[in-house]
Every structure is written in structure tokens, then in C-alpha cells.
Amino acid sequence: MVGTASAFVTDAYKAIADLMAARPISASNYRSGREFDAAQVTWLFAMADALDDADLSEDADTTREIALGVVRDAVSQVAGVVA
């Protein structure tokens, strides 16, 4: 087969790659842990949308579940402080 790998990259897959390059991986880059959590959740939901756009629905659903897990953890922490 003649060609390069980049010839097979669609816009949908490029969006996934761009998000991979922009993922929040270090809390030290944020002023607080809450900002880092927010960045992670925002990124996870954006990644889920990009996966859906690439017709990777099962992966998108899994990614959303991971994001919701982070949200659930935050809600549990707040509930513990309020209780």
C-alpha cells in the first residue's frame, strides 16, 4: 500500500489527537486541585464528544462514565464537608 499514515487521518481522528496533546496531566500546572479537577472533567467530556464524532460510541460512553466518576467524587467530598 502506497501512502503515509497521515493520509488516513480524518478530521475526527485529528480532533482526538489534538485533545490528547492538550490533556491536563499535572495538578502542579493549576492553582488548585479544584481547577485541575475541572480541567480534567472538561477535557474528558470534550474527548467523549470527539470520540462520538469519530463513530467510537462505546469509547465515548466509557469516557463519559470516567468524567462522571470524577464529578461523583467531588460531590461526595462536598457532601462530607457539609454533613
PDB file of all heavy atoms in Angstrom, residues 47-65:
ATOM      1  N   MET A  47     -13.350  15.007  25.075  1.00  0.00           N
ATOM      2  CA  MET A  47     -12.845  13.786  24.441  1.00  0.00           C
ATOM      3  C   MET A  47     -14.009  12.859  24.094  1.00  0.00           C
ATOM      4  O   MET A  47     -14.031  12.254  23.010  1.00  0.00           O
ATOM      5  CB  MET A  47     -11.845  13.066  25.343  1.00  0.00           C
ATOM      6  CG  MET A  47     -11.294  11.775  24.742  1.00  0.00           C
ATOM      7  SD  MET A  47     -10.470  11.976  23.141  1.00  0.00           S
ATOM      8  CE  MET A  47      -8.882  12.598  23.679  1.00  0.00           C
ATOM      9  N   ALA A  48     -14.977  12.747  24.972  1.00  0.00           N
ATOM     10  CA  ALA A  48     -16.145  11.908  24.688  1.00  0.00           C
ATOM     11  C   ALA A  48     -16.861  12.400  23.432  1.00  0.00           C
ATOM     12  O   ALA A  48     -17.256  11.596  22.578  1.00  0.00           O
ATOM     13  CB  ALA A  48     -17.088  11.895  25.884  1.00  0.00           C
ATOM     14  N   ASP A  49     -17.016  13.706  23.304  1.00  0.00           N
ATOM     15  CA  ASP A  49     -17.647  14.261  22.105  1.00  0.00           C
ATOM     16  C   ASP A  49     -16.828  13.951  20.855  1.00  0.00           C
ATOM     17  O   ASP A  49     -17.371  13.593  19.812  1.00  0.00           O
ATOM     18  CB  ASP A  49     -17.841  15.774  22.244  1.00  0.00           C
ATOM     19  CG  ASP A  49     -18.916  16.135  23.254  1.00  0.00           C
ATOM     20  OD1 ASP A  49     -19.729  15.253  23.627  1.00  0.00           O
ATOM     21  OD2 ASP A  49     -18.931  17.309  23.678  1.00  0.00           O
ATOM     22  N   ALA A  50     -15.509  14.081  20.966  1.00  0.00           N
ATOM     23  CA  ALA A  50     -14.636  13.794  19.820  1.00  0.00           C
ATOM     24  C   ALA A  50     -14.703  12.316  19.444  1.00  0.00           C
ATOM     25  O   ALA A  50     -14.712  11.973  18.252  1.00  0.00           O
ATOM     26  CB  ALA A  50     -13.197  14.205  20.144  1.00  0.00           C
ATOM     27  N   LEU A  51     -14.766  11.450  20.430  1.00  0.00           N
ATOM     28  CA  LEU A  51     -14.884  10.015  20.149  1.00  0.00           C
ATOM     29  C   LEU A  51     -16.218   9.710  19.461  1.00  0.00           C
ATOM     30  O   LEU A  51     -16.265   8.908  18.526  1.00  0.00           O
ATOM     31  CB  LEU A  51     -14.736   9.212  21.443  1.00  0.00           C
ATOM     32  CG  LEU A  51     -13.327   9.206  22.041  1.00  0.00           C
ATOM     33  CD1 LEU A  51     -13.362   8.703  23.477  1.00  0.00           C
ATOM     34  CD2 LEU A  51     -12.365   8.386  21.205  1.00  0.00           C
ATOM     35  N   ASP A  52     -17.279  10.362  19.911  1.00  0.00           N
ATOM     36  CA  ASP A  52     -18.573  10.199  19.236  1.00  0.00           C
ATOM     37  C   ASP A  52     -18.484  10.643  17.778  1.00  0.00           C
ATOM     38  O   ASP A  52     -18.997   9.978  16.889  1.00  0.00           O
ATOM     39  CB  ASP A  52     -19.661  11.012  19.941  1.00  0.00           C
ATOM     40  CG  ASP A  52     -20.483  10.177  20.901  1.00  0.00           C
ATOM     41  OD1 ASP A  52     -20.513   8.937  20.762  1.00  0.00           O
ATOM     42  OD2 ASP A  52     -21.102  10.780  21.796  1.00  0.00           O
ATOM     43  N   ASP A  53     -17.834  11.778  17.554  1.00  0.00           N
ATOM     44  CA  ASP A  53     -17.687  12.298  16.192  1.00  0.00           C
ATOM     45  C   ASP A  53     -16.914  11.338  15.295  1.00  0.00           C
ATOM     46  O   ASP A  53     -17.099  11.323  14.077  1.00  0.00           O
ATOM     47  CB  ASP A  53     -16.999  13.666  16.196  1.00  0.00           C
ATOM     48  CG  ASP A  53     -17.869  14.762  16.799  1.00  0.00           C
ATOM     49  OD1 ASP A  53     -19.098  14.548  16.947  1.00  0.00           O
ATOM     50  OD2 ASP A  53     -17.314  15.821  17.137  1.00  0.00           O
ATOM     51  N   ALA A  54     -16.044  10.541  15.896  1.00  0.00           N
ATOM     52  CA  ALA A  54     -15.259   9.561  15.138  1.00  0.00           C
ATOM     53  C   ALA A  54     -15.955   8.191  15.086  1.00  0.00           C
ATOM     54  O   ALA A  54     -15.343   7.193  14.723  1.00  0.00           O
ATOM     55  CB  ALA A  54     -13.868   9.422  15.764  1.00  0.00           C
ATOM     56  N   ASP A  55     -17.229   8.174  15.464  1.00  0.00           N
ATOM     57  CA  ASP A  55     -18.018   6.934  15.480  1.00  0.00           C
ATOM     58  C   ASP A  55     -17.443   5.881  16.417  1.00  0.00           C
ATOM     59  O   ASP A  55     -17.498   4.679  16.140  1.00  0.00           O
ATOM     60  CB  ASP A  55     -18.179   6.359  14.066  1.00  0.00           C
ATOM     61  CG  ASP A  55     -19.048   7.251  13.193  1.00  0.00           C
ATOM     62  OD1 ASP A  55     -19.987   7.873  13.734  1.00  0.00           O
ATOM     63  OD2 ASP A  55     -18.781   7.328  11.979  1.00  0.00           O
ATOM     64  N   LEU A  56     -16.906   6.342  17.528  1.00  0.00           N
ATOM     65  CA  LEU A  56     -16.383   5.449  18.559  1.00  0.00           C
ATOM     66  C   LEU A  56     -17.269   5.586  19.801  1.00  0.00           C
ATOM     67  O   LEU A  56     -16.829   5.979  20.882  1.00  0.00           O
ATOM     68  CB  LEU A  56     -14.920   5.793  18.868  1.00  0.00           C
ATOM     69  CG  LEU A  56     -13.958   5.646  17.692  1.00  0.00           C
ATOM     70  CD1 LEU A  56     -12.609   6.261  18.008  1.00  0.00           C
ATOM     71  CD2 LEU A  56     -13.806   4.179  17.307  1.00  0.00           C
ATOM     72  N   SER A  57     -18.531   5.254  19.629  1.00  0.00           N
ATOM     73  CA  SER A  57     -19.555   5.498  20.652  1.00  0.00           C
ATOM     74  C   SER A  57     -19.289   4.763  21.962  1.00  0.00           C
ATOM     75  O   SER A  57     -19.502   5.322  23.040  1.00  0.00           O
ATOM     76  CB  SER A  57     -20.927   5.104  20.129  1.00  0.00           C
ATOM     77  OG  SER A  57     -21.247   5.873  19.005  1.00  0.00           O
ATOM     78  N   GLU A  58     -18.836   3.534  21.881  1.00  0.00           N
ATOM     79  CA  GLU A  58     -18.578   2.773  23.107  1.00  0.00           C
ATOM     80  C   GLU A  58     -17.457   3.430  23.915  1.00  0.00           C
ATOM     81  O   GLU A  58     -17.550   3.560  25.141  1.00  0.00           O
ATOM     82  CB  GLU A  58     -18.220   1.327  22.763  1.00  0.00           C
ATOM     83  CG  GLU A  58     -18.184   0.418  23.967  1.00  0.00           C
ATOM     84  CD  GLU A  58     -18.016  -1.038  23.571  1.00  0.00           C
ATOM     85  OE1 GLU A  58     -18.624  -1.480  22.580  1.00  0.00           O
ATOM     86  OE2 GLU A  58     -17.263  -1.733  24.277  1.00  0.00           O
ATOM     87  N   ASP A  59     -16.411   3.861  23.229  1.00  0.00           N
ATOM     88  CA  ASP A  59     -15.316   4.557  23.909  1.00  0.00           C
ATOM     89  C   ASP A  59     -15.796   5.890  24.478  1.00  0.00           C
ATOM     90  O   ASP A  59     -15.387   6.300  25.560  1.00  0.00           O
ATOM     91  CB  ASP A  59     -14.147   4.774  22.954  1.00  0.00           C
ATOM     92  CG  ASP A  59     -13.499   3.463  22.542  1.00  0.00           C
ATOM     93  OD1 ASP A  59     -13.262   2.615  23.417  1.00  0.00           O
ATOM     94  OD2 ASP A  59     -13.258   3.295  21.341  1.00  0.00           O
ATOM     95  N   ALA A  60     -16.674   6.566  23.739  1.00  0.00           N
ATOM     96  CA  ALA A  60     -17.234   7.836  24.210  1.00  0.00           C
ATOM     97  C   ALA A  60     -18.034   7.617  25.491  1.00  0.00           C
ATOM     98  O   ALA A  60     -17.908   8.391  26.447  1.00  0.00           O
ATOM     99  CB  ALA A  60     -18.098   8.464  23.132  1.00  0.00           C
ATOM    100  N   ASP A  61     -18.839   6.567  25.522  1.00  0.00           N
ATOM    101  CA  ASP A  61     -19.629   6.269  26.717  1.00  0.00           C
ATOM    102  C   ASP A  61     -18.736   5.975  27.914  1.00  0.00           C
ATOM    103  O   ASP A  61     -18.991   6.443  29.030  1.00  0.00           O
ATOM    104  CB  ASP A  61     -20.564   5.083  26.461  1.00  0.00           C
ATOM    105  CG  ASP A  61     -21.679   5.407  25.484  1.00  0.00           C
ATOM    106  OD1 ASP A  61     -21.945   6.605  25.236  1.00  0.00           O
ATOM    107  OD2 ASP A  61     -22.283   4.450  24.959  1.00  0.00           O
ATOM    108  N   THR A  62     -17.682   5.212  27.686  1.00  0.00           N
ATOM    109  CA  THR A  62     -16.733   4.900  28.764  1.00  0.00           C
ATOM    110  C   THR A  62     -16.072   6.169  29.275  1.00  0.00           C
ATOM    111  O   THR A  62     -15.917   6.365  30.491  1.00  0.00           O
ATOM    112  CB  THR A  62     -15.664   3.909  28.259  1.00  0.00           C
ATOM    113  OG1 THR A  62     -16.319   2.712  27.839  1.00  0.00           O
ATOM    114  CG2 THR A  62     -14.637   3.601  29.327  1.00  0.00           C
ATOM    115  N   THR A  63     -15.694   7.047  28.368  1.00  0.00           N
ATOM    116  CA  THR A  63     -15.049   8.303  28.746  1.00  0.00           C
ATOM    117  C   THR A  63     -16.001   9.173  29.562  1.00  0.00           C
ATOM    118  O   THR A  63     -15.602   9.784  30.556  1.00  0.00           O
ATOM    119  CB  THR A  63     -14.552   9.041  27.495  1.00  0.00           C
ATOM    120  OG1 THR A  63     -13.660   8.167  26.789  1.00  0.00           O
ATOM    121  CG2 THR A  63     -13.815  10.321  27.848  1.00  0.00           C
ATOM    122  N   ARG A  64     -17.262   9.215  29.156  1.00  0.00           N
ATOM    123  CA  ARG A  64     -18.257   9.973  29.940  1.00  0.00           C
ATOM    124  C   ARG A  64     -18.418   9.390  31.338  1.00  0.00           C
ATOM    125  O   ARG A  64     -18.559  10.117  32.313  1.00  0.00           O
ATOM    126  CB  ARG A  64     -19.600   9.978  29.214  1.00  0.00           C
ATOM    127  CG  ARG A  64     -19.667  10.967  28.098  1.00  0.00           C
ATOM    128  CD  ARG A  64     -21.082  11.104  27.532  1.00  0.00           C
ATOM    129  NE  ARG A  64     -21.012  11.862  26.301  1.00  0.00           N
ATOM    130  CZ  ARG A  64     -20.834  11.339  25.096  1.00  0.00           C
ATOM    131  NH1 ARG A  64     -20.746  10.033  24.938  1.00  0.00           N
ATOM    132  NH2 ARG A  64     -20.757  12.106  24.034  1.00  0.00           N
ATOM    133  N   GLU A  65     -18.403   8.082  31.445  1.00  0.00           N
ATOM    134  CA  GLU A  65     -18.515   7.444  32.762  1.00  0.00           C
ATOM    135  C   GLU A  65     -17.333   7.818  33.654  1.00  0.00           C
ATOM    136  O   GLU A  65     -17.495   8.032  34.855  1.00  0.00           O
ATOM    137  CB  GLU A  65     -18.630   5.924  32.629  1.00  0.00           C
ATOM    138  CG  GLU A  65     -20.017   5.456  32.307  1.00  0.00           C
ATOM    139  CD  GLU A  65     -21.044   5.879  33.353  1.00  0.00           C
ATOM    140  OE1 GLU A  65     -20.797   5.757  34.563  1.00  0.00           O
ATOM    141  OE2 GLU A  65     -22.119   6.349  32.938  1.00  0.00           O
TER     142      GLU A  65
END
